[in-house]
Amino acid sequence: MANTTSAKKATRKIARRTIINKSRRTQMRGAVRNVEEAIKSGDREAALKAMAHAEPELMQAAQRNIIHKNNASRKVSRLAHQIAKLAKLAK
């Protein structure tokens, strides 16, 4: 348990940030999930549309230190590669 005033304030602050970060993480994961579902269904147009929404979500999460920037870049790269594979399959 925090004893000093500054430690008590830090605890309150961390609790507030945790709620916000959880919300942002959930939003990011949902955006990625939408892309993955579109890829699974084989719908390239829907996947591209979902990717246009998911990429900024991932990068914002990286900027806000919710995930590491390399993690965000890796996820974007892998999703883009899977979408590109859909285009090759369609031809």
Side-chain angles (χ1 to χ4, degrees):
M1 184 64 198
N3 291 323
T4 62
T5 335
S6 61
K8 287 178 183 174
K9 180 180 177 180
T11 311
R12 292 193 306 270
K13 192 174 181 181
I14 289 166
R16 283 194 305 266
R17 298 302 320 159
T18 300
I19 293 167
I20 293 166
N21 287 341
K22 276 186 179 179
S23 169
R24 288 180 175 157
R25 189 178 301 116
T26 302
Q27 196 172 356
M28 176 202 68
R29 286 178 178 161
V32 171
R33 196 174 303 116
N34 289 339
V35 178
E36 290 170 345
E37 286 172 1
I39 290 170
K40 253 186 191 169
S41 70
D43 188 358
R44 185 171 179 271
E45 291 302 315
L48 285 170
K49 222 177 228 185
M51 184 66 173
H53 177 69
E55 188 174 354
E57 287 282 343
L58 282 162
M59 291 307 165
Q60 282 176 356
Q63 278 184 328
R64 293 170 173 148
N65 290 322
I66 294 168
I67 59 172
H68 195 274
K69 66 175 186 170
N70 292 353
N71 188 348
S73 294
R74 185 176 63 244
K75 283 181 190 289
V76 168
S77 175
R78 287 180 178 174
L79 289 171
H81 182 71
Q82 288 176 338
I83 292 171
K85 277 171 60 175
L86 279 180
K88 289 181 184 176
L89 292 175
K91 289 183 181 180

